[in-house]
Amino acid sequence: MKQTPAHSVVNQDLLGLIPPNARRVVEVGCMHGAMARAYRAKNPAVEYVGIDIDPDYAAVAAEACHQALAGDIETFTPAAFDKLFPSDCWIFGDCLEHLRDPWRIVKTIRAGIDADGCLLACIPNAQHWSVQMRLATGLFRYEDSGLMDRTHVRWFTRITMMEMFFQAGWKIETAFSRQLPTQAPATLMAGIRAIAETGGTDPDQAERDANAFQLLFKVTPA
C-alpha cells in the first residue's frame, strides 16, 4: 500500500520541541526532509539522520539530511538499529500510528538513547469528536490522509499515548494538543459528555480530549 502522500509542510509545533543544540537527530518518517531542512537552518552543527519506508521519499530527503535511510524501522536488524546511536533526539511526526508495534520501538529507543536525550512525537487522536461521530453513525471509512488515513495500523487516545511512554520507561516533559478550527456540533459534544458521565469519567476532560486533533509529546528518560 502506498504511504501517505508526501508534503513539505513543517510541523512548527514539533520543530519547536527539538532541543536547540541537539547533537544527532533521528527522524522516523522524514518524507522529503522538510523538518531536517528547517532544523538544520537553526542548528547547522547537528547530524541529522532521516528514515522513511518509501525509497522515493528517502531519495528526496537525502538532499536535506546527512544520511537518509530507506526502510521499515521495525525490520531493521539489531546491528542496523545500533548504528542509529549515539543519538540524543528521535522524532516521530505522525508516524507511530503507522507502526505495527510502536510500543517495542519506543522501548528500544529508550534503552539506547543518550542520558540527556528526548523523543518527540505528534500522534493523531482517535478520541477526536469527528472519529466518535463516524463510529456512532457507522461511517467509519478510510481516507488518503488525516485521522482516517488508510495506512494507520494503530489508534491512540491521550490516555493510551501516555501509557505507551510510561511503560517504555519515559517521563513526559511536555504535552499539548493541536486543534482544528472546525468545531463539533453542540449536540454531539453534549452526547460525548453524557457518554463520559455514564461511563463514570470526567465530562470536562472528555470534551477536552474530543477537541484534540493531535497530541504532541516531548518525553525524556525516566
Side-chain angles (χ1 to χ4, degrees):
M1 184 182 296
K2 189 67 176 176
Q3 295 303 301
T4 304
H7 58 76
S8 297
V9 177
V10 176
N11 183 330
Q12 294 295 329
D13 291 324
L14 197 58
L15 176 64
L17 291 177
I18 307 176
N21 298 311
R23 300 178 294 276
R24 190 169 193 237
V25 173
V26 179
E27 182 187 0
V28 182
C30 64
M31 289 195 166
H32 285 172
M35 184 72 75
R37 189 173 289 106
Y39 181 69
R40 290 184 65 193
K42 299 170 62 176
N43 179 14
V46 70
E47 179 182 355
Y48 205 107
V49 179
I51 303 171
D52 203 281
I53 196 171
D54 190 309
D56 293 334
Y57 295 177
V60 177
E63 300 176 5
C65 302
H66 290 92
Q67 183 180 19
L69 306 175
D72 181 349
I73 188 72
E74 294 190 272
T75 64
F76 277 25
T77 65
F81 212 106
D82 287 345
K83 289 181 180 179
L84 299 172
F85 301 95
S87 46
D88 60 329
C89 180
W90 282 66
I91 303 174
F92 291 86
D94 296 295
C95 179
L96 288 172
E97 66 278 6
H98 294 266
L99 304 183
R100 295 174 293 278
D101 191 354
W103 303 274
R104 177 179 67 86
I105 294 299
V106 299
K107 186 175 183 179
T108 302
I109 294 169
R110 168 65 183 86
I113 200 166
D114 294 358
D116 63 343
C118 63
L119 183 152
L120 314 178
C122 179
I123 308 173
N125 176 30
Q127 199 176 345
H128 189 256
W129 62 264
S130 65
V131 179
Q132 296 194 53
M133 182 167 64
R134 290 167 186 263
L135 285 168
T137 58
L139 303 177
F140 196 82
R141 299 190 179 104
Y142 291 106
E143 299 173 350
D144 291 335
S145 61
L147 289 175
M148 301 302 299
D149 189 323
R150 68 184 75 256
T151 63
H152 290 177
V153 295
R154 298 297 179 192
W155 296 83
F156 293 96
T157 64
R158 175 185 58 84
I159 291 173
T160 59
M161 293 174 200
M162 294 170 63
E163 288 175 347
M164 173 173 60
F165 293 127
F166 291 151
Q167 291 167 4
W170 299 93
K171 63 181 178 181
I172 296 174
E173 183 173 307
T174 304
F176 58 92
S177 67
R178 300 175 85 193
Q179 300 183 8
L180 296 177
T182 306
Q183 298 295 311
T187 51
L188 174 62
M189 195 57 72
I192 290 173
R193 292 181 62 89
I195 291 172
E197 290 178 334
T198 302
T201 58
D202 180 1
D204 292 333
Q205 183 64 61
E207 182 170 348
R208 288 191 293 270
D209 287 339
N211 279 315
F213 182 73
Q214 298 163 316
L215 288 102
L216 288 90
F217 293 89
K218 178 178 182 180
V219 299
T220 54

